[in-house]
Amino acid sequence: MADFLLLALLGGLGVAAIAGPLGSFVVWRRMAYFGDTLAHSALLGVSLGFLFDINLNVAVIACCVLLAITLVALQRQHIVATDTLLGIMAHSSLSLGLVAIALIDDIRVDLMAYLFGDLLAVTPEDLYWIYGGALLVAALLYKLWEPLLAITINEELAQVEGVRVTAVRLVLMLLIAVIIAVAMKIVGILLISSLLIIPAAAARRLANTPEQMAIGAGVLGCLAVTLGLGLSYQWDTPAGPSVVVVAMMEFLILYSWPQRQAA
Amino acid sequence: MKSHHDLIRLEQVNLHFGRNHVLQNIDMALHKGCITTLIGPNGAGKTTLVKVVLGLTKPSSGNVWREEGLRIGYMPQKLQIDRTFPLTVKRFLQTTQCRDKNLILKALSDVGAETLLQESIHNLSGGEMQRVLLARALLRDPNLLVLDEPVQGVDINGQLELYALIARIRDQRNCGVLMISHDLHLVMSSTDHVICMNHHICCSGHPEHVSNDPSFVDLFGQRGAEQLALYSHHHNHRHNAHGDVVQQECNHG
């Protein structure tokens, strides 16, 4: 197997494995649009990275984290409805990113790679970022698992029961920001939320407990990455979108299966 | 009232949301072993007052005193759990950080719901869900139970059963209970103390007193109040609540 393919596979598996459990929370808590907004802001991070000549991963993570914090702060002001706020921030940050990249005229930026991913250009350095990020997210998810489930059930109930709701919610947002930053290379800004949402939604059909769904989502995501890369290699299709297409197929197959009694 | 061991006391509590004066000069105390029912029209600030009691909302002014070591078991008005969240009753009860299976079973059997352990939370009827929520509140071994409309979405017979269950739990555990209710006539037989509120406390006291209080009649309309009073008369022959002159216990805020 070609080296670039192995790197792509390792990178994709790392991201998909952790996107599953995290994506389950995105689905349960209806944060799909939030994930999209963070992803859109990643392009702003890329352009700022070029502009100030800092590591792109660092710039993207910083940008996503800043956006997540701004979002939480603005949500509290109740200026506009949350979905409107998300829409404003998603498209403003994407446009700001595009405008900023256009203004940096001494660098040629392959926009398509950032928008739709460039899985086949994954470098060993990228792998460090992906696995570092994935390990960090996995460790925090493990540690905060029960409180996260509790605030997903009902935030006020959790607070009465002694969970530090605001802190736990903020950590969840930051984890999503980290994953989006490291996953950008794999499926691109426009397709990142699909990697969070589709495997988790598909795994719902097989799961009776939150843990089964989280792990199932990770497994289905890894399967999608493997098959998608195979597809891409075989028929020379774009890698990121191929992965998403396979994930969609998984979803369709699982949901056309006859329903059984499930929790 | 069985005792006057105070669990929580509110003194001159006020709360403003912008220009809305939601809570006005609220004075109240919850006692050990005593069921207090909060009634009032929609938008009267009942849920807000409960949130102040729970410590979820800070009052704009006034004092909230809690007994040291107070453990509150809370049952929210409704739980909206997304159907994509696979959750059995057992797993739902485990997220209280209570992992002890025996304790979970005990709490479920206390509310008569032990058969639901492996059931999906999404397949429960209204009454079953309320029982499971109550079991969750009991898992904390509370000395105060706070129930926000505990009989919501339950048919009349189920409502009476639930109120009887709450009274039984109070008897067994000797905990204080604060609950919000819409219908005084159903809750009447299983409550010790009624607080009727519309931003301020209109009247409070024994359910019989409250149902005849002029401010209660004002709040719910003559017909509604008469129905409630008649109902109580029908249910409790020892008291002649309807038409009698009742000792006034009104403290208009």
Side-chain angles (χ1 to χ4, degrees), chain A residues 12 47 81 84 95 99 127 135 153 155 170 172 209 221 227 232 260:
Chain A
S47 56
T84 307
S95 303
V99 167
L127 283 189
L135 277 178
I153 287 168
E155 297 200 345
L170 187 64
L172 180 64
T209 65
L227 294 180
S232 167
R260 64 196 174 86

Side-chain angles (χ1 to χ4, degrees), chain B residues 23-74:
Chain B
L23 299 179
Q24 303 167 3
N25 303 318
I26 304 283
D27 281 310
M28 65 181 266
L30 300 173
H31 315 295
K32 191 177 172 189
C34 174
I35 298 183
T36 303
T37 302
L38 208 53
I39 60 169
N42 287 329
K46 301 186 296 288
T47 297
T48 309
L49 179 56
V50 160
K51 284 184 180 168
V52 170
V53 168
L54 291 168
L56 292 173
T57 303
K58 281 208 164 47
S60 314
S61 69
N63 292 320
V64 180
W65 174 89
R66 289 183 181 79
E67 187 191 42
E68 218 164 292
L70 183 71
R71 280 184 315 281
I72 299 180
Y74 170 49

Side-chain angles (χ1 to χ4, degrees), chain A residues 168-185:
Chain A
V168 173
R169 194 172 46 196
L170 187 64
V171 169
L172 180 64
M173 287 185 169
L174 298 185
L175 293 184
I176 294 172
V178 169
I179 278 305
I180 281 173
V182 299
M184 188 178 65
K185 193 88 183 193

Side-chain angles (χ1 to χ4, degrees), chain A residues 61-184:
Chain A
I61 291 178
C63 201
C64 285
V65 166
L66 267 179
L67 189 97
I69 293 171
T70 312
L71 203 61
V72 174
L74 283 179
Q75 249 177 338
R76 288 196 170 174
Q77 307 289 317
H78 298 291
I79 302 166
V80 287
T82 300
D83 60 336
T84 307
L85 186 64
L86 285 169
I88 292 171
M89 295 187 77
H91 300 112
S92 311
S93 57
L94 181 66
S95 303
L96 269 175
L98 289 168
V99 167
I101 283 182
L103 286 178
I104 315 168
D105 46 16
D106 54 334
I107 298 174
R108 295 286 308 143
V109 178
D110 180 10
L111 257 187
M112 287 298 274
Y114 290 107
L115 292 179
F116 297 103
D118 195 359
L119 189 45
L120 302 181
V122 170
T123 63
E125 197 213 326
D126 290 327
L127 283 189
Y128 289 130
W129 279 99
I130 289 171
Y131 279 87
L135 277 178
L136 175 77
V137 173
L140 281 167
L141 270 185
Y142 181 76
K143 192 166 160 23
L144 292 175
W145 189 254
E146 292 296 329
L148 277 167
L149 291 181
I151 70 163
T152 301
I153 287 168
N154 186 292
E155 297 200 345
E156 287 182 343
L157 187 55
Q159 193 165 342
V160 172
E161 290 174 352
V163 175
R164 293 171 60 202
V165 173
T166 313
V168 173
R169 194 172 46 196
L170 187 64
V171 169
L172 180 64
M173 287 185 169
L174 298 185
L175 293 184
I176 294 172
V178 169
I179 278 305
I180 281 173
V182 299
M184 188 178 65

Side-chain angles (χ1 to χ4, degrees), chain A residues 5-24:
Chain A
L5 210 54
L6 183 67
L7 287 175
L9 188 62
L10 285 176
L13 290 179
V15 167
I18 197 64
L22 205 55
S24 298

